[in-house]
Amino acid sequence: KSKKYAKAATKEIKTAGVLGAGIMGGGIAYQSASKGVPAVMKDIKQDALDLGMKEAGKILKKGVERGKVSNDKMIKVLSSITPTLLNDAVKDVDIVVEAVVENPKVKGSVLAEIEGVIGDDAILTSNTSTISITELAKNLKRPQKFCGMHFFNPVHKMPLVEIIRGEKTSDETVNAVVAYALKLGKTPIVVNDCPGFLVNRVLFPYLAGFAGMVDEGVDFVGIDKVMEKQFGWPMGPAYLSDVVGIDTADHCTVVMEDGFPTRMKRDTSSAIAKLAAAERYGQKNGKGFYVYG
Ligand code: NAD
């Protein structure tokens, strides 16, 4: 079905801008560049840009070691990612993927600001995990050119991309973004808008169930072992939370409660909320449920 959307696309994405060079922004910029769509990667912190470039370099180096990537390709991909601290550097791109912190206010102002920088024809998307696209579009002048483009972590490995259609998103925008996702070698699915979309409406109740068990005194290492070894999932919920980022997971629970006040009630004393308050953000800062050396 996604091929049908892509076939109808009238706008080809040749250059991309990515806002945020964190776990997701860095991954999206890498994926775009590696599939021949140069990416300008913007952050507010030089450290984040440096880390984003380093992570891209690591993936490529692994590919070179395994004989899957040539040295020339490695150099080409790295030189097609342009790290920058300036909004102006994305002014000529065909698409922007916003991947800054999961906070509706921050995203709202970042999106509105960048909409004033990019061309009238450019498409704006958000990699938000949970925030309603229709809500985010309320700050925008061209909501028809805005939709969700939700990648999964790690971006270079996970095939799925949710393309979220907001109330005012045009068909033309959806078609072009689906075509771009296919160009990146991904499997796009077009979904309707609601907090959490499809995957996170399933995932967050699961994580809430897990956090509830930890609060009751069940050992999280044991839960991970059961889910991984006996149930057969690639990782258990504690390790998954560390990979996602405890801060991001915690922000998502706030948005999910706003969207589904009774079904997704946030427990501020849950293990995830407590770890976030203690600034144990998971792999990104070396400590979460587990400690990383
Ligand atoms: P992260 O904390 O790793 O990175 C966020 C980055 O945004 C940081 O480098 C920060 O400096 C930067 N930033 C903050 N304000 C900015 C601004 N005004 N302009 C430019 N950069 C700014 O977070 P992440 O895990 O990459 O998550 C980013 C987004 O992707 C969130 O919306 C999150 O919900 C979503 N997401 C995360 C995952 C995941 O597994 N981590 C998966 C899918 C989607």
Side-chain angles (χ1 to χ4, degrees):
K1 200 167 175 195
S2 56
K3 285 201 181 117
K4 221 166 109 186
Y5 288 103
K7 232 176 159 186
T10 50
K11 181 180 175 66
E12 193 192 348
I13 305 295
K14 293 186 189 142
T15 51
V18 180
L19 306 181
I23 300 175
M24 296 306 289
I28 296 163
Y30 161 77
Q31 189 66 22
S32 194
S34 79
K35 296 293 179 185
V37 183
V40 178
M41 178 172 73
K42 193 257 167 178
D43 205 288
I44 47 172
K45 293 183 193 149
Q46 185 60 45
D47 285 0
L49 293 171
D50 295 344
L51 191 64
M53 292 306 291
K54 198 171 145 197
E55 291 298 319
K58 262 198 216 162
I59 300 169
L60 287 160
K61 233 174 162 185
K62 237 186 216 168
V64 172
E65 279 159 17
R66 290 182 181 159
K68 287 189 174 166
V69 176
S70 68
N71 268 316
D72 281 359
K73 164 114 186 180
M74 177 165 79
I75 293 162
K76 194 170 171 213
V77 172
L78 285 176
S79 62
S80 341
I81 308 173
T82 308
T84 182
L85 294 167
L86 306 172
N87 269 345
D88 240 28
V90 303
K91 70 178 176 13
D92 294 325
V93 299
D94 296 316
I95 191 168
V96 166
V97 184
E98 170 278 311
V100 307
V101 284
E102 187 72 351
N103 175 314
K105 274 198 185 139
V106 176
K107 281 196 190 292
S109 64
V110 166
L111 287 165
E113 200 181 330
I114 215 69
E115 188 189 41
V117 171
I118 56 178
D120 288 354
D121 279 346
I123 291 174
L124 189 51
T125 70
S126 174
N127 182 53
T128 176
S129 302
T130 49
I131 306 167
S132 155
I133 294 303
T134 302
E135 284 303 309
L136 285 175
K138 287 186 176 154
N139 286 315
L140 300 177
K141 295 200 178 85
R142 299 187 293 275
Q144 72 280 9
K145 296 220 173 280
F146 176 64
C147 71
M149 187 174 196
H150 183 208
F151 291 83
F152 293 84
N153 179 12
V155 176
H156 67 290
K157 286 194 179 153
M158 298 293 277
L160 184 63
V161 177
E162 287 180 311
I163 313 287
I164 305 114
R165 192 197 282 274
E167 222 168 74
K168 295 193 175 161
T169 306
S170 70
D171 287 344
E172 203 186 350
T173 298
V174 170
N175 295 340
V177 178
V178 168
Y180 175 52
L182 287 172
K183 206 169 181 178
L184 300 194
K186 298 298 174 193
T187 308
I189 55 162
V190 178
V191 297
N192 289 328
D193 188 31
C194 71
F197 321 123
L198 190 157
V199 171
N200 282 334
R201 273 195 74 178
V202 176
L203 182 64
F204 275 89
Y206 161 74
L207 287 180
F210 154 71
M213 284 172 76
V214 175
D215 297 341
E216 287 161 22
V218 183
D219 174 23
F220 66 82
V221 179
I223 299 175
D224 268 6
K225 272 194 186 147
V226 169
M227 294 310 289
E228 287 162 19
K229 297 211 161 54
Q230 277 82 37
F231 198 64
W233 283 16
M235 58 185 88
Y239 190 74
L240 174 69
S241 304
D242 279 359
V243 170
V244 165
I246 300 282
D247 50 343
T248 301
D250 188 48
H251 286 142
C252 288
T253 65
V254 176
V255 180
M256 293 306 279
E257 181 183 41
D258 268 359
F260 305 101
T262 43
R263 261 187 281 163
M264 283 302 302
K265 194 131 193 63
R266 180 167 187 258
D267 179 359
T268 48
S269 67
S270 83
I272 289 175
K274 277 188 202 146
L275 288 173
E279 298 184 3
R280 293 181 69 111
Y281 296 149
Q283 288 188 341
K284 72 170 78 164
N285 74 345
K287 50 190 189 304
F289 281 97
Y290 299 94
V291 175
Y292 303 86

